[in-house]
């Protein structure tokens, strides 16, 4: 099989090499899937750079999210069958930037019939993150206002759709007109291009000075700092990640004075601490997809040869929407 491998850490376009490798064999409690589509995520770039919390030994294949067809079952696997179409996360160091990948059965879920392979590949991480953040952590209520940073990105676009599905009003912050148009198509009620507008002013005007009830922040840095200036009384700021590269140092006295909450989300921890809740979330996401309320907006479908450039562009912040690769399409 063909696979993209990293032999030394660095920028994705420089270190991802296409190679021929043996098709993996499933271990106990695992399956091997033929990768129908693999979504590109920011952690893939961090893996290439050696900056992700999980550091697989070199050489390794990135790719943390896929849609695949089960082709082999490991010992003890009884909940899926060969030929099933599934989504989930592969087992690093053999990630999904390859034609075949292994998966632990606990991270394997039925692919929603309402979604194409490319769409289904982009459902797992971003939408699970959004669902846990908005519903489990922030207890989002119908009619509330949600401010979503990086609303045209992977996790941000999922948050826009999930917040709208929950009956919230969404203000999306993006960088550039192309991303602004994309966020509008996702359903954001108000879109702020941070290159030409101040989102703090827009939020205050849109809420008659009250502020956003929930802030969904995968960016950190200045996005977080300025969000504290437009958070509502008893609002909730969701700390999702630090795509800006800057981890903010919040002034807790400010949270005390304004009566708002800071809520962290490490979604991957639920896979270890409460996997039943991850399965329940998948059922809810499947139902929302079946009803047409959510659908990953795939902007580009790449080949394995094109994938290093795609990962680099995502890392550089120049992509719009979800990038997906189809490893077998060019065979």
């Amino acid at each position: 099989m063909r696979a993209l491998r990293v032999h030394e850490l660095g920028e994705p376009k420089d270190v991802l090499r296409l190679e021929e490798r043996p098709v993996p064999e499933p271990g106990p409690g695992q399956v091997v899937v033929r990768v129908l589509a693999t979504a590109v995520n920011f952690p893939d770039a961090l893996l290439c750079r050696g900056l992700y919390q999980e550091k697989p030994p070199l050489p390794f294949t990135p790719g943390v999210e896929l849609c695949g067809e089960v082709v082999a079952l490991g010992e003890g696997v009884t909940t899926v069958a060969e030929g099933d179409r599934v989504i989930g996360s592969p087992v690093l160091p053999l990630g999904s930037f390859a034609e075949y990948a292994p998966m632990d059965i606990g991270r394997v879920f039925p692919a929603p019939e309402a979604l194409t392979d490319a769409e289904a590949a982009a459902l797992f991480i971003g939408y699970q993150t959004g669902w846990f953040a908005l519903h489990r952590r922030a207890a989002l209520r119908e009619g509330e206002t949600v401010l979503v940073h990086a609303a045209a990105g992977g996790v941000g676009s999922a948050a826009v759709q999930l917040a709208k599905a929950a009956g919230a009003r969404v203000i999306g912050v993006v960088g550039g007109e192309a991303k602004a148009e994309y966020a509008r198509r996702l359903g954001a009620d108000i879109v702020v291009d941070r290159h030409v507008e101040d989102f703090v002013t827009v939020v205050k005007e849109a809420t008659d000075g009250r502020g956003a009830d929930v802030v969904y922040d995968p960016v950190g840095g200045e996005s977080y700092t300025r969000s504290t200036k437009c958070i509502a009384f008893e609002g909730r700021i969701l700390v999702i990640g630090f795509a800006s590269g800057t981890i903010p140092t919040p002034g807790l006295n400010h949270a005390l004075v304004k009566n708002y909450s800071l809520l962290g989300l490490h979604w991957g921890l639920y896979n270890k601490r409460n996997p039943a809740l991850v399965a329940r979330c998948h059922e809810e996401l499947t139902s929302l997809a079946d009803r047409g309320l959510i659908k990953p907006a795939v902007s580009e479908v790449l080949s394995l040869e094109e994938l290093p450039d795609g990962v680099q562009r995502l890392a550089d912040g120049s992509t719009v929407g979800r990038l997906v690769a189809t490893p077998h399409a060019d065979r």
Side-chain angles (χ1 to χ4, degrees):
M1 71 166 187
R2 297 179 305 157
L4 286 166
R5 304 183 84 206
V6 174
H7 290 263
E8 58 185 9
L9 301 177
E11 290 302 298
K13 63 180 176 57
D14 298 326
V15 301
L16 283 166
R17 305 179 194 169
L18 190 59
E19 300 177 358
E20 287 287 340
R21 299 294 301 163
V23 174
E25 296 287 337
Q30 292 185 341
V31 301
V32 169
V33 299
R34 180 178 184 267
V35 179
L36 302 174
T38 176
V40 182
N41 290 274
F42 194 67
D44 295 316
L46 295 180
L47 281 165
C48 291
R49 293 167 171 168
L51 300 177
Y52 195 52
Q53 57 257 38
E54 186 173 352
K55 293 178 170 56
L58 294 167
F60 65 87
T61 295
V64 295
E65 183 176 31
L66 65 80
C67 174
E69 177 189 357
V70 177
V71 295
L73 307 177
E75 179 184 346
V77 174
T78 60
T79 53
V80 299
E82 291 184 17
D84 285 355
R85 193 175 75 117
V86 299
I87 68 170
S89 291
V91 181
L92 296 175
L94 301 177
S96 54
F97 289 0
E99 292 181 323
Y100 295 87
M103 304 175 71
D104 287 332
I105 192 60
R107 305 291 291 274
V108 175
F109 301 90
E113 294 182 4
L115 302 180
T116 66
D117 294 340
E119 292 165 347
L123 181 74
F124 187 52
I125 294 175
Y127 284 83
Q128 285 262 348
T129 298
W131 188 90
F132 272 87
L134 294 172
H135 294 290
R136 181 76 176 181
R137 302 294 285 132
L140 178 65
R141 296 182 289 271
E142 184 177 358
E144 290 192 310
T145 297
V146 180
L147 175 65
V148 179
H149 289 288
V155 293
S157 61
V160 170
Q161 290 187 346
L162 288 166
K164 289 297 296 179
R169 181 170 65 155
V170 176
I171 302 174
V173 181
V174 300
E177 181 51 40
K179 294 183 178 183
E181 180 56 35
Y182 178 82
R184 294 185 191 100
R185 293 200 303 270
L186 289 170
D189 299 284
I190 299 172
V191 178
V192 181
D193 181 351
R194 58 182 173 82
H195 292 162
V196 296
E197 294 180 282
D198 176 17
F199 73 82
V200 173
T201 300
V202 173
V203 170
K204 289 182 176 180
E205 289 177 350
T207 60
D208 296 324
R210 187 173 54 84
D213 300 291
V214 175
V215 173
Y216 190 90
D217 181 19
V219 178
E222 189 68 12
S223 294
Y224 168 83
T225 302
R226 292 196 55 71
S227 292
T228 64
K229 301 181 181 301
C230 60
I231 186 70
F233 173 76
E234 294 192 333
R236 291 87 80 200
I237 299 179
L238 288 159
V239 180
I240 307 299
F242 312 105
S244 68
T246 301
I247 299 175
T249 53
L252 297 184
N253 60 320
H254 194 259
L256 181 152
V257 170
K258 291 193 69 175
N259 269 45
Y260 63 82
S261 302
L262 303 179
L263 302 171
L265 177 73
H266 177 191
W267 169 74
L269 199 56
Y270 284 94
N271 290 283
K272 299 177 181 178
R273 303 293 291 270
N274 196 342
L277 193 56
V278 176
R280 179 185 140 203
C281 173
H282 179 71
E283 293 175 358
E284 176 64 19
L285 294 177
T286 298
S287 174
L288 291 171
D290 288 343
R291 288 183 281 154
L293 295 176
I294 63 171
K295 182 165 73 169
V298 177
S299 57
E300 296 183 52
V301 178
L302 309 172
S303 66
L304 278 181
E305 287 83 359
E306 297 168 324
L307 196 45
D309 175 70
V311 179
Q312 186 67 54
R313 288 187 288 113
L314 181 142
D316 295 339
S318 62
T319 59
V320 177
R322 296 309 309 270
L323 272 59
V324 172
T326 50
H328 293 273
D330 50 353
R331 281 282 188 165

